[in-house]
Amino acid sequence: MGAEDAARTARAGAARRPMRGRDPGEAHRAATPLELLFDLTFVVAVSQAAAQLHHALAEGRTGPGLFGYAAVFFAIWWAWMNFTWFASAYDTDDVPYRLLTLLQMAGVLVLAAGVPGAFQHGDWALVVAGYVIMRAAMVAQWLRAAAADPAGRRGALRYAAGVALVQAGWVARLWVFGGWAAATFVVLVAAELAVPAWAEFRGSVTRWHPGHIAERYGLFTIIVLGEVILGSVTAIQSAVTDRGLSTPVLLIAVGGLLLVFALWWLYFTGREVRLTTLRTALAWGYGHYVVFAALAALGAGLEAALDVAEHHAHLSELSAGLTVAVPVAVVLLLLGALHRMTDAAAVGLWPLLAGAAAVLALGFGAPLLGPGGAVLGMGVAVAATLAAGLLAGRRAPAG
């Protein structure tokens, strides 16, 4: 009974806890069940974006498909990132906090429902509606923090004002057409990226937890890799059901699995990510847009390669090879830069550069090797990059 009473008292205290900044040095800080549920709703949005990219690639609409994918994925990633950093500083887990977070989840699902229309017809209304729901809830969270936390009030008010102003710009953009649509998109993305730097300027730094942030990014990486596996398995299952297990399908399955496993290992080096300054944290956090988007695009690329191998796509073998090779090379190069930036590098830069070059060469060699042979070669090349980096790290003198 004593333990139960203590737990009940703790929950009651949490329900009445003001939204003060949490201790950035708090021990054993980990992702909460609410944060994990929040991430799961983003699986739907990421899956929709990757599926639409796959369809665009298979139909030969590479340029429009990549632009739509980059735009949609930015909305997904930016909403996730904003909540993640806010929660790291102000997660009180009380009733208003939970309700506003659940509202953001609803917004994610609305955005996901609008992804096909945005890709196929250029209709961004539902995507923007979902984004409005998420961002309005985020503004409310920041206003709560401003009211309850005098130390962080200035920064919280800046965040609320910046988010609201840029969100109004996204709504106004629905009535912009022609060449101005692309120009206003770039301007609004730049404005979104500038809000955190402005809000944190001159002593208004939010008290986020470095270890918690690193864990949250790692968990989202796992979610994206899981989506890659799910999409690939579904495509392989469909191919096997239609025509049996052919050699190209088997090679793509093995190569894709090697890619996922090796990229996971390269991301999770076992070394602590050190986010020691705001500049480092912003660069590391922003750089993950490319990492997440490229990993999800890898799944679309593997599915497109399967379509080409089964003669179901309006795509050349060269294009099929590059749809896998380019995302993998981008991830390798970005991981090298991000890990060196945060002292988490377990694999040297030169092995990663060599691995990226080998993967791109295999992508260009797809007409000769076939999609299956090219993808298998890429999987072996990335696995060899990992092995070479780990061996070099073991041989390096300590200290």
Side-chain angles (χ1 to χ4, degrees), residues 110-375:
V110 172
L111 184 151
V115 169
F119 267 85
Q120 297 167 17
H121 311 296
D123 182 3
W124 293 86
L126 201 54
V127 170
V128 172
Y131 198 56
V132 167
I133 294 171
M134 288 188 286
R135 304 301 275 159
M138 198 73 255
V139 169
Q141 295 276 39
W142 280 115
L143 290 175
R144 284 195 70 209
D149 183 19
R153 181 168 299 153
R154 181 183 177 187
L157 289 174
R158 284 186 174 186
Y159 271 111
V163 170
L165 182 62
V166 178
Q167 186 56 60
W170 286 114
V171 175
R173 184 179 174 274
L174 290 175
W175 285 271
V176 176
F177 302 98
W180 285 103
T184 53
F185 176 82
V186 172
V187 170
L188 288 170
V189 166
E192 291 276 24
L193 296 175
V195 168
W198 172 65
E200 306 275 348
F201 184 63
R202 289 190 178 177
S204 299
V205 178
T206 305
R207 295 165 61 83
W208 42 269
H209 191 290
H212 176 249
I213 288 293
E215 182 196 25
R216 298 288 290 115
Y217 273 74
L219 291 172
F220 199 74
T221 300
I222 292 173
I223 284 177
V224 176
L225 287 173
E227 192 280 326
V228 173
I229 293 173
L230 177 60
S232 301
V233 167
T234 302
I236 291 168
Q237 186 178 42
S238 177
V240 171
T241 301
D242 290 343
R243 306 181 66 174
L245 181 60
S246 64
T247 299
V249 170
L250 179 60
L251 294 178
I252 291 173
V254 174
L257 200 60
L258 280 173
L259 286 172
V260 170
F261 288 170
L263 290 174
W264 170 86
W265 200 321
L266 285 167
Y267 185 94
F268 294 97
T269 63
R271 299 191 179 185
E272 181 183 359
V273 173
R274 299 182 183 276
L275 302 176
T276 54
T277 67
L278 177 62
R279 178 179 296 181
T280 299
L282 287 177
W284 184 83
Y286 287 0
H288 271 76
Y289 164 71
V290 182
V291 173
F292 292 153
L295 285 174
L298 169 59
L302 289 171
E303 293 179 61
L306 282 165
D307 290 340
V308 171
E310 294 295 294
H311 309 290
H312 290 162
H314 302 287
L315 198 66
S316 67
E317 290 188 335
L318 173 61
S319 298
L322 292 178
T323 60
V324 178
V326 172
V328 172
V330 167
V331 172
L332 290 175
L333 296 176
L334 259 293
L335 286 183
L338 295 177
H339 282 161
R340 288 173 67 86
M341 182 189 304
T342 57
D343 297 328
V347 176
L349 185 59
W350 286 110
L352 292 173
L353 289 172
V359 166
L360 288 174
L362 287 163
F364 280 106
L368 178 63
L369 301 171
V375 172

Side-chain angles (χ1 to χ4, degrees), residues 42-119:
F42 277 83
V43 173
V44 180
V46 171
S47 177
Q48 284 289 329
Q52 293 303 315
L53 176 60
H54 163 228
H55 294 323
L57 293 173
E59 294 167 3
R61 298 184 291 108
T62 304
L66 288 174
F67 175 80
Y69 175 74
V72 168
F73 206 94
F74 175 82
I76 296 168
W77 163 78
W78 189 245
W80 176 86
M81 178 173 164
N82 275 238
F83 168 78
T84 296
W85 288 74
F86 174 87
S88 187
Y90 289 107
D91 181 3
T92 54
D93 199 31
D94 58 6
V95 171
Y97 177 87
R98 286 191 172 195
L99 290 176
L100 286 170
T101 302
L102 294 174
L103 179 60
Q104 290 181 73
M105 296 182 201
V108 175
L109 298 178
V110 172
L111 184 151
V115 169
F119 267 85

